[in-house]
Structure formats: C-alpha cells, structure tokens
Amino acid sequence: MDEKRTVKTSKMLSRILRHDPGAVGVTLDAAGWVGVDALLAALARHGRPLSRAELDHVVATNNKRRFAYSEDGRSIRASQGHTVEVDLGLPAAAPPDVLFHGTAERTLQYILAEGLRPMSRQDVHLSADTGTAAKVGSRHGRPVVLAVDAAAMARDGHEFRVSANGVWLTGPVPAQYLRRTP
C-alpha cells in the first residue's frame, strides 16, 4: 500500500470510526468497537474495498496511532476524538504536572477568556509534549501552544484519562489553568 493510499484510508477510517459509522452502514458498540469483518464487508459494499492486510498496515503505520484493535484482534475502534457518543472505558489517570494544547492563534483570545471546551468532541485533547501540541495547532492556522496546569486541575477534582495512543482526555479546561507558552 503506497503512502498516498495509506493516508487516504486513514482519513476515511477516522471519519467512519469517530464521526459517521452510518456512512458505510456499520454500528459502533457502546465502547466504540466494530467488528473488523463487518467493517471490511461494509467498505466493500460501498465501493471502498480494503483487505485485512491493508487495514493492518494502516493501523500499524499511522503516526498518531489513531486506531486500536481489541485484544483478540476481531474488533477495531478509534483511540479518541469521537463526535458520536461512545464510552472508551478509560480509567482515571494521574496526569503529569503540565500538559499542552495546540490551537490556532486566531482562537487564542477566546480560549484565554473562556477556557478550552470539547466543542463537537466528547473531550478536550491534551498532549504530553509541546511538539505534538504545535503540530495539532498548525492544522488550524498559525499554531499557539498552551500549557495546562494539569496538577492543579487534578487537585481541584478534574478527571483525566489517557487514550491508547497517549492523548490525554479531560472535560472543559477553565481559563485559570491555561497559559501561553513562549
């Protein structure tokens, strides 16, 4: 599978497994899983044939590790980023003292006044490093990285979870926990 097809397939799977499983006629279970065979059959019915080997390649080579197989390898789901209602079943976890959020410069004033909100997603997504946060922010314009005082949030009762691919998830982040990084 060439790089161009790998990226195109990854984007298609993200849309299906995070936002619109009905686009190909599959249903996610309450935890976001769908059977691999059901997914592959649905893709074929919708003119997007994909082999298990190709799916394995996309899952294994995705630099953001957006997808995960179940322990038995029979089901697949997106690791986070859902706009459809799912419960990933991730346990609460103690975050590092500081986490980071990448955004576009044009949204900075609003965020510093109002805080971070999940918007259409279920959770606010945070990174453990500034490099990842900057990459995320650059998708939306000139990037700005915000430091999140995760230690203070946790002390104040906010819950954190970490997805299979290392993305930290939490609810809304009030503005008092945010500061712009240099």
Side-chain angles (χ1 to χ4, degrees), residues 29-110:
D29 73 11
W33 297 105
V34 65
V36 170
D37 292 341
L39 176 63
L40 296 176
L43 290 170
R45 282 193 308 273
H46 284 81
R48 299 175 180 153
L50 187 69
S51 71
R52 175 63 190 248
E54 290 169 323
L55 181 63
D56 290 345
H57 174 78
V58 171
V59 171
T61 62
N62 184 272
N63 63 342
K64 296 179 183 176
R65 299 180 328 192
R66 286 190 170 155
F67 315 106
Y69 285 124
S70 59
E71 287 187 25
D72 64 8
R74 293 182 184 167
S75 297
I76 187 170
R77 74 177 178 184
S79 295
Q80 90 289 322
H82 298 82
T83 56
V84 296
E85 187 71 30
V86 298
D87 179 359
L88 297 174
L90 301 173
D97 288 347
V98 179
L99 289 167
F100 302 94
H101 181 80
T103 191
E105 188 173 53
R106 63 182 154 65
T107 62
L108 183 61
Q109 185 176 3
Y110 170 78

Side-chain angles (χ1 to χ4, degrees), residues 15 72 75 81 137 148 150 156 166 171:
R15 184 174 55 81
D72 64 8
S75 297
V148 176
D156 293 344

